[in-house]
């Protein structure tokens, strides 16, 4: 064997080792959960799984989960497909702004969405009070209901439907529509006969993603459901853990298994349905097929803007108003307006700075570590056979696809005892949240890098190889500079998601280790909705700024890396 | 595929109407894609729009179909104005059909549904509909594939489904957008046959866009050569080959050499004697460009007579039925000629030119 071969095979073994380690680590939490939930089956009717399945509260929560997620999915389908069809196929005005604003709810943390809608309605709404339209004291908050939860879940997941449908609309070859028109089809017939059937897979995918994401959502049902005593599976787990601690872990593992299976069944169903209705489309695609709206153009644009005003601007306005009043229930006017909440939150609350430091540290280091891992991982993945690549991607996708509560329970199970050999206890430290973030967001960082690598012509690397560059040299000198924008975008996306994360950290935090998401949640639960609003306003500003930064990078990234641009 | 059976398709249903394109201009922002183009297309004519990529031929076709509006001028079918700066008949009301480069078969419909879609939209149902679809499929010999999905067909079969879909509704004009561009060489030759056959049997007016001059020459009754949005020449393939208007058309169509002579004027034939004398004049007097096709050049390896030129052989390429010689004339100009044997590169041969065609100066 020549020295060069030894060198390159050493390189390959190292990367393969890394790949296998990462896959095992991604699977470990789920496997641990499975073992915990199934281990005591031998006890028969005494086993936690059996007891959980026999408990009425389990089935009630399961039904609540299915009801709110199902209704939320329908709302998301209506909103998402309206925007996708209008923005992709017609000549409405201001498309890029409409897209940006429509995508914003997906990136705003759910607890902030819930808080802002709570500020919009109900007798204590500072916004309604300021314009004199508040209902009398004592009237119920309409959002504290199953339908309220479903509405917000729908708004939060509508961008998922939008994205899936838009992608499939953009890949619809222009000629298919032109061929129908020259065959004599009118615009309405083109929609019904060609566009809808061909893009059905996008609709199905979007609907399924909206359902799965709603199923795992914690922030919205926690803020709206817990006060009303309306529990869905994630909030039931949270409530039990908050009340009984690690003593009920075995039961919680059983509940987690239930919801995890539900989510994975959703994924499987989606894959199955999509496989049946996916077409290999030939021809030129990419350019949008403008349906000219003529005199309806301004009306259509105004309709979309109105919807955005209702689902995005009004709640955010309510949030801002709430952050400027001195106390809950006081109307906002020139005399009452005050920045006290901001000075209180930023100046006096030690917890704010601590939570911010924790969140920034967690999100920042998770982003950096994942960026470092993603390049070699994606590089090795690119060289695997198709079938294996799919399997590995599924394995690292599991911690992200599972509801956050499930991952949190799995991580507690995995780390509740000190790690063997090195004897380090992760439970109760920031380290546990950090490890959970690494598992959860790995796929978010790997996907853009993989997409970018797939676009690279392999001859670029082969040319370097012929020039005498060894494998590490090629990775650093050729591949890295070319995929750097995608790598960086992946890191930013991880940061964006992690810095506002609530679902995982809600179960994993401990005193002194709270994150921004947990802090807003706790402030609101403690009745400090003015302070929570002020903090939320800051969070929304940060999210919008990060999204804008990513948008500015868009021209240098492969298509589809930035979710809200295409 | 050699013979397309045409049992009982109603040919007389094809409405006979000429297509008139009058000073049509299309601008995309600053860029003028089609510049004041005029063409008169007779009913039943097979017309090719030929030109290099970016010359505006596809834009012209899309304006005929109605996918693009017209900035100036107008398009008229028979007595009906299809497009002008004021009017725009949408594609669905033009009664045209089109074969797309990608064939554009709808992936969620079977072959029969694809083919029948245009007549279904025209309200045909039941037995009459079935009959129409069967006939159209029979014309392209795909009856056996009626229930297949388009994805299960080969490239050539998809092409034929697209053709059948064009036929089924008896369109006034059939538009074809580089329909052979995605096929391999062998299949191209077969499809060229079937296009000609198709045209002969249906008598439809066909407008065919291509950048391949040999394809256009083989298929079309008349060719419109386009360059940078403008019509350079409009004529039968033979005319374009024998009497190209400009040096650019001469270079684009067929092979040949362009020499400077002191004789003739643009649009004139030059006989052998005049041509040879003109070639021998002094440099400053040789101002007219003349096109000499290789088949009009006699090459002999015997020593040259006074009426002949002496040329040095620069390279020899074997082309099967003959050798292609690149010759250097005393004036320094190169000359492309055919010969049945291969002279040594570097040797000298005697050359006489039978005739030449004088070209317009400039582009």
């Amino acid at each position: 064997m020549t020295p060069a071969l030894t060198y390159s095979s050493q390189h390959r073994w190292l990367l393969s080792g890394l790949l296998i380690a990462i896959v095992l680590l991604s699977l470990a939490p789920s496997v641990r959960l499975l073992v915990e939930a199934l281990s005591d089956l031998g006890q028969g009717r005494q086993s936690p799984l059996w007891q959980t399945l026999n408990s009425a509260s389990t089935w009630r929560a399961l039904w609540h989960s299915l009801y709110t997620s199902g209704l939320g999915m329908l709302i998301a389908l209506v909103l998402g497909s309206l925007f996708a069809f209008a923005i992709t196929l017609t000549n409405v005005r201001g498309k890029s702004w409409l897209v940006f604003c429509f995508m914003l709810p997906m990136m705003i943390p759910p607890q902030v969405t819930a808080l802002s809608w709570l500020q919009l309605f109900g007798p204590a709404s500072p916004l309604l009070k300021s314009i004199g339209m508040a209902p009398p004291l004592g009237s119920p908050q309409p959002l504290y209901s199953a339908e309220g939860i479903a509405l917000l879940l729908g708004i939060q997941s509508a961008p998922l439907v939008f994205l899936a449908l838009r992608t499939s609309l953009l890949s619809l070859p222009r000629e298919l529509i032109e061929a129908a028109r020259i065959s004599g089809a009118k615009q309405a017939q083109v929609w019904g006969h060609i566009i809808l059937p061909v893009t059905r897979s996008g609709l199905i995918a979007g609907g399924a993603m909206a359902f799965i994401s709603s199923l795992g959502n914690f922030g919205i049902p926690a803020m709206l459901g817990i006060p009303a005593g309306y529990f869905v599976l994630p909030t039931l787990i949270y409530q039990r853990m908050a009340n009984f601690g690690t003593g009920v872990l075995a039961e919680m593992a059983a509940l987690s298994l239930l919801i995890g299976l539900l989510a994975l069944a959703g994924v499987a169903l989606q894959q199955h349905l999509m496989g049946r209705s996916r077409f290999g489309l030939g021809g030129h695609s990419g350019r949008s097929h403008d349906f000219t709206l003529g005199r309806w153009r301004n009306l259509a644009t105004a309709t979309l803007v109105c919807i955005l005003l209702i689902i995005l601007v009004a709640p955010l306005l309510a949030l801002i108003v709430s952050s400027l009043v001195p106390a809950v229930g006081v109307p906002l006017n020139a005399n009452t307006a005050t920045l006290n909440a901001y000075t209180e939150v930023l100046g006096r609350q030690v917890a704010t700075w601590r939570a911010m430091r924790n969140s920034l540290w967690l999100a920042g280091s998770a982003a950096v570590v994942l960026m470092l891992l993603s390049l070699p991982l994606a590089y090795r993945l690119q060289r695997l056979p198709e079938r294996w690549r799919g399997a590995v991607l599924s394995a690292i996708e599991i911690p992200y696809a599972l509801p956050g509560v499930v991952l949190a329970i799995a991580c507690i199970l995995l780390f509740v005892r000190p790690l063997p050999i090195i004897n380090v206890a992760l439970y109760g430290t920031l380290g546990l949240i950090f490890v959970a973030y690494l598992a959860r967001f790995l796929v978010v960082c790997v996907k853009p890098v993989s997409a970018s690598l797939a676009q690279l012509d392999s001859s670029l690397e082969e040319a370097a190889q012929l020039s005498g560059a060894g494998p590490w040299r090629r990775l650093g000198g050729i591949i890295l500079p070319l995929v750097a924008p995608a790598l960086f975008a992946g890191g930013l996306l991880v940061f964006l998601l992690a810095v506002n994360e609530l679902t995982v950290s809600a179960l994993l935090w401990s005193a002194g280790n709270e994150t921004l998401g947990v802090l807003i949640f706790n402030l609101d639960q403690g009745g400090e909705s003015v302070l929570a609003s002020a903090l939320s306003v800051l969070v929304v500003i940060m999210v919008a700024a990060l999204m804008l930064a990513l948008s500015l990078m868009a021209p240098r990234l492969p298509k589809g890396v930035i979710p809200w641009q295409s | 595929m050699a013979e397309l059976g045409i049992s009982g398709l109603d040919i007389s249903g094809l409405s006979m109407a000429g297509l008139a394109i009058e000073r049509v201009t299309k601008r995309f922002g600053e860029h003028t894609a089609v510049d004041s183009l005029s063409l008169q297309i007779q009913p039943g004519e097979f017309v090719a729009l030929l030109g290099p990529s970016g010359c505006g031929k596809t834009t012209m076709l899309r304006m005929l179909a109605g996918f693009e509006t017209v900035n100036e001028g107008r398009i008229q079918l028979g007595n009906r104005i299809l497009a002008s700066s004021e009017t725009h008949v949408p594609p669905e009301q033009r009664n045209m059909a089109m074969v797309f480069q990608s064939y554009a078969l709808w992936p969620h419909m079977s072959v029969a549904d694809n083919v029948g879609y245009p007549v279904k939209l025209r309200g045909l149902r039941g037995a009459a509909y079935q009959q129409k679809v069967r006939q159209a499929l029979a014309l392209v010999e795909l009856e056996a594939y009626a229930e297949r999905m388009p994805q299960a067909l080969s490239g050539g079969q998809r092409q034929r489904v697209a053709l059948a879909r064009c036929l089924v509704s008896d369109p006034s004009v059939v538009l074809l957008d580089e329909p052979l561009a995605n096929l391999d060489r062998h299949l191209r030759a077969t499809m060229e046959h079937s296009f000609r056959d198709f045209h002969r049997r249906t008598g439809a007016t066909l407008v065919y866009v291509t950048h391949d001059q040999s394809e256009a020459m083989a298929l079309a009754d008349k060719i419109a050569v386009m360059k940078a949005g403008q019509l350079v020449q409009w004529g039968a393939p033979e005319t374009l080959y024998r009497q190209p208007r400009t040096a650019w058309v001469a270079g684009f169509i067929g092979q040949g050499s362009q020499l400077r002579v002191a004789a003739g004027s643009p649009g004139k034939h030059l006989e052998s004697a005049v041509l040879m004398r003109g070639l021998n004049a002094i440099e400053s007097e040789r101002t007219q460009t003349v096109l000499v096709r290789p088949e009009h050049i006699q090459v002999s390896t015997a020593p040259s007579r006074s009426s002949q030129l002496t040329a040095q052989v620069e390279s020899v390429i074997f082309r099967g039925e003959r050798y292609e010689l690149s010759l250097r004339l005393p004036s320094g100009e190169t000359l492309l000629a055919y010969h049945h044997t291969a002279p040594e590169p570097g040797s000298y041969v005697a050359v006489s030119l039978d005739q030449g065609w004088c070209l317009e100066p400039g582009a």
Side-chain angles (χ1 to χ4, degrees):
Chain A
M1 205 188 254
T2 61
L5 267 178
T6 328
Y7 185 49
S8 85
S9 69
Q10 168 213 351
H11 157 264
R12 201 170 65 233
W13 279 113
L14 212 67
L15 288 182
S16 305
L18 179 74
L19 183 82
I20 292 166
I22 286 174
V23 169
L24 289 180
L25 287 176
S26 301
L27 291 176
S30 325
V31 172
R32 180 69 187 82
L33 185 73
L34 212 60
V35 168
E36 180 71 25
L38 300 179
S39 59
D40 299 326
L41 270 185
Q43 301 172 15
R45 293 182 172 276
Q46 295 305 309
S47 72
L49 183 64
W50 186 255
Q51 291 195 334
T52 311
L53 287 181
N54 262 339
S55 148
S57 64
T58 304
W59 295 105
R60 201 164 46 236
L62 178 66
W63 164 243
H64 289 170
S65 271
L66 289 176
Y67 177 72
T68 52
S69 306
L71 197 59
M73 178 186 75
L74 290 181
I75 295 170
L77 275 174
V78 170
L79 279 176
S81 49
L82 174 72
F83 271 76
F85 281 129
I87 290 178
T88 316
L89 293 181
T90 73
N91 58 341
V92 291
R93 291 171 202 278
K95 287 185 179 183
S96 52
W97 281 108
L98 287 176
V99 173
F100 186 87
C101 291
F102 189 70
M103 295 303 295
L104 198 54
M106 186 171 86
M107 290 297 170
I108 295 178
Q111 67 279 17
V112 171
T113 307
L115 182 65
S116 59
W117 279 84
L118 285 175
Q119 304 309 312
L120 185 59
F121 289 113
S125 161
L127 182 71
L128 294 184
K129 276 215 174 327
S130 304
I131 54 176
M133 281 174 59
L137 281 175
S139 49
Q141 163 66 272
L143 289 174
Y144 285 152
S145 64
E147 288 70 28
I149 295 173
L151 174 70
L152 295 208
L153 287 177
I155 290 171
Q156 183 112 38
S157 53
L160 294 171
V161 177
F162 172 83
L163 282 179
L165 191 56
R166 183 169 162 82
T167 310
S168 91
L169 282 174
L170 284 177
S171 65
L172 173 69
R174 191 181 60 195
E175 280 108 337
L176 291 187
I177 288 173
E178 290 179 349
R181 293 197 65 193
I182 206 162
S183 299
K186 296 186 194 65
Q187 295 205 351
Q189 290 172 317
V190 172
W191 276 69
H193 297 165
I194 312 293
I195 296 177
L196 273 182
V198 176
T199 55
R200 200 172 52 205
S201 65
L203 261 179
I204 292 172
M209 281 195 288
F211 182 76
I212 296 162
S213 133
S214 299
L215 205 59
N217 196 309
F218 171 74
I220 289 170
M223 301 270 279
L224 303 184
I226 293 179
Y230 187 89
F231 287 97
V232 296
L233 282 173
T235 51
L236 183 69
I237 295 175
Y238 170 79
Q239 194 73 1
R240 290 274 170 84
M241 286 294 286
N243 291 345
F244 303 109
T246 49
V248 288
L249 259 181
E251 267 171 64
M252 294 307 106
L255 270 179
S256 301
L257 189 67
L258 196 62
I259 180 171
L261 284 179
L262 214 56
L264 291 184
V267 174
L269 189 69
Q270 168 208 351
Q271 304 261 334
H272 174 69
L273 288 176
M274 274 183 63
R276 280 202 349 206
S277 61
R278 199 188 333 239
F279 307 109
L281 294 172
H284 305 278
S285 59
R287 221 200 73 172
S288 58
H289 350 270
D290 282 349
F291 277 88
T292 315
L293 290 170
R295 61 206 168 88
W296 299 103
R297 188 179 182 196
N298 287 326
L299 185 72
T301 311
T303 310
L304 297 187
V305 169
C306 272
I307 293 175
L308 282 177
L309 283 177
I310 294 168
I311 67 171
L312 178 69
V313 179
L316 286 183
L317 204 65
L319 190 68
I320 293 171
V321 168
S322 295
S323 72
L324 294 176
V325 296
V328 183
V330 180
L332 181 74
N333 55 42
N335 296 325
T336 57
T338 169
L339 288 174
N340 273 350
Y342 291 90
T343 48
E344 170 77 22
V345 154
L346 292 178
R348 262 164 276 166
Q349 292 256 344
V350 195
T352 313
W353 286 108
R354 197 171 54 216
M356 226 174 245
R357 204 174 49 240
N358 284 342
S359 271
L360 290 178
W361 188 87
L362 281 170
S365 45
V368 169
V369 169
L370 289 179
M371 277 165 71
L372 288 177
L373 285 179
S374 287
L375 181 65
L377 186 66
Y379 181 78
R380 185 69 189 89
L381 215 52
Q382 204 65 33
R383 271 147 193 78
L384 283 181
E386 190 88 35
R387 203 154 41 99
W388 283 101
R389 199 187 315 158
V392 171
L393 272 177
S394 310
I396 62 173
E397 177 113 41
I398 287 177
Y400 189 63
L402 282 179
V405 174
V406 177
L407 181 68
I409 294 287
C411 281
I412 294 175
L413 284 170
L414 206 55
F415 295 109
V416 69
R417 278 184 282 275
L419 289 177
I421 305 166
I422 49 171
N423 208 20
V424 178
L426 277 179
Y427 187 67
T429 69
L430 271 185
L432 181 56
I433 304 182
F434 180 67
V435 169
Y437 280 5
L438 286 186
R440 188 157 177 79
F441 298 122
L442 174 65
V443 73
V444 174
C445 196
V446 166
K447 277 206 168 156
V449 183
S450 272
S452 183
L453 272 178
Q455 277 186 359
L456 281 190
D457 192 343
S458 62
S459 63
L460 290 176
E461 208 193 331
E462 286 159 4
Q465 197 167 9
L466 288 175
S467 314
W472 297 112
R473 188 94 188 237
R474 296 201 298 273
L475 197 58
I478 309 292
I479 308 289
L480 178 63
L482 289 171
V483 301
L487 192 61
F488 194 59
L492 261 184
L493 274 177
V494 169
F495 185 83
L496 192 62
L497 290 170
V499 81
N500 289 312
E501 207 282 331
L502 169 65
T503 323
V504 173
S505 45
L507 282 178
L508 298 184
W509 75 283
S510 46
N513 287 330
E514 52 285 81
T515 60
L516 263 182
V518 171
L519 183 65
I520 293 175
F521 182 61
N522 287 351
L523 279 175
D524 182 69
Q525 298 286 299
E528 300 278 9
S529 69
V530 175
L531 293 186
S533 299
L535 197 53
S536 299
V537 169
L538 297 177
V539 164
V540 171
I541 292 172
M542 179 174 72
V543 168
L546 282 172
M547 279 175 72
L548 274 176
L550 273 166
S551 295
L552 292 180
M553 288 172 58
R556 303 200 49 192
L557 297 171
K559 271 184 121 171
V561 163
I562 296 188
W564 55 90
Q565 298 220 328
S566 43
Chain B
M1 265 305 297
E3 279 299 292
L4 295 173
I6 186 165
S7 47
L9 191 88
D10 182 16
I11 300 173
S12 60
L14 292 171
S15 36
M16 288 291 176
L19 193 60
I21 301 168
E22 288 164 27
R23 304 188 61 77
V24 165
T25 298
K26 177 68 185 179
R27 280 182 289 268
F28 294 109
E30 292 291 290
H31 173 67
T32 304
V34 174
D35 190 0
S36 192
L37 189 93
S38 297
L39 289 178
Q40 290 290 333
I41 298 170
Q42 301 306 316
E45 221 166 26
F46 192 149
V47 170
L49 301 181
L50 172 68
S53 60
C55 74
K57 55 191 192 297
T58 298
T59 307
M60 188 62 240
L61 194 78
R62 293 175 60 79
M63 284 193 284
L64 286 178
F67 295 129
E68 305 282 355
T69 54
V70 168
N71 289 129
E72 285 167 31
R74 65 179 179 182
I75 299 171
Q76 206 170 329
L77 182 66
N79 298 324
R80 186 175 174 221
I81 295 178
L82 294 182
S84 69
S85 51
E86 295 96 39
T87 49
H88 178 78
V89 178
E92 54 267 32
Q93 292 167 20
R94 293 197 175 194
N95 192 28
M96 293 188 174
M98 184 156 169
V99 176
F100 291 84
Q101 195 172 346
S102 62
Y103 320 137
L105 301 180
W106 300 297
H108 59 297
M109 297 185 190
S110 70
V111 166
D113 290 341
N114 261 285
V115 170
Y117 188 69
V119 283
K120 190 171 258 173
L121 286 175
R122 285 164 176 74
L124 211 58
R125 292 287 184 277
Y129 168 82
Q130 299 293 346
Q131 163 108 3
K132 236 1 184 170
V133 173
R134 238 192 337 268
Q135 280 172 359
L137 280 175
L139 193 66
V140 294
E141 293 184 330
L142 282 176
E143 301 108 305
Y145 296 83
E147 294 315 314
R148 297 261 186 110
M149 295 307 275
Q151 294 89 315
L153 300 185
S154 72
Q157 288 167 334
R158 290 183 200 185
Q159 176 77 265
R160 280 144 62 193
V161 175
L163 263 180
R165 186 174 67 188
C166 267
L167 284 176
V168 79
S169 60
D170 303 331
S172 342
V173 181
V174 178
L175 307 170
L176 302 108
D177 183 11
E178 307 226 13
L180 299 183
N182 288 338
L183 299 183
D184 64 47
R185 255 178 86 154
H186 179 70
L187 203 52
R188 268 166 183 247
T190 323
M191 288 311 295
E192 274 180 18
H193 270 292
S194 60
F195 278 143
R196 248 203 320 262
D197 220 37
F198 166 69
H199 178 241
R200 188 165 53 78
R201 286 164 186 273
T202 59
T205 308
L206 261 66
V207 181
Y208 187 107
V209 158
T210 178
H211 65 270
D212 183 331
Q213 53 102 8
S214 68
E215 206 173 283
M217 303 277 272
L219 291 170
D221 299 327
K222 270 182 116 175
I223 299 176
V225 184
M226 290 179 68
K227 183 192 175 196
Q230 290 179 319
L231 181 68
V232 187
Q233 196 167 359
W234 169 229
E238 293 85 354
T239 317
L240 291 180
Y241 185 77
R242 290 179 192 141
Q243 298 165 356
R245 199 164 63 80
T246 68
W248 183 78
V249 178
F252 191 62
I253 289 175
Q255 287 191 301
S257 324
Q258 296 181 16
L259 307 172
R260 311 285 271 175
V261 298
S265 60
K268 288 266 161 40
H269 256 297
L270 290 186
E271 294 305 319
S272 177
V274 188
L275 181 59
M276 297 302 279
R277 252 199 322 278
L279 271 174
N280 284 324
I282 58 166
E283 170 117 35
S284 60
E285 286 177 11
R286 294 192 284 126
T287 54
Q288 173 64 46
T289 307
V290 68
L291 168 72
V292 182
R293 294 290 186 193
E295 61 269 28
H296 297 140
I297 301 171
Q298 310 297 328
V299 176
S300 90
T301 43
S304 61
R305 284 172 279 125
S306 60
S307 64
Q308 291 176 307
L309 288 170
T310 307
Q312 189 175 22
V313 179
E314 291 225 303
S315 65
V316 178
I317 299 171
F318 179 53
R319 292 287 186 205
E321 73 280 15
R322 64 197 169 206
Y323 292 90
E324 201 175 281
L325 316 182
S326 177
L327 307 174
R328 177 79 62 190
L329 292 175
S331 63
E333 291 165 310
T334 53
L335 192 65
L336 182 80
Y338 298 147
H339 197 52
H340 60 276
T341 60
E344 256 334 282
S347 67
Y348 287 88
V349 291
V351 170
S352 62
L353 312 179
D354 295 343
Q355 53 168 285
W357 172 256
C358 295
L359 302 168
E360 280 179 19

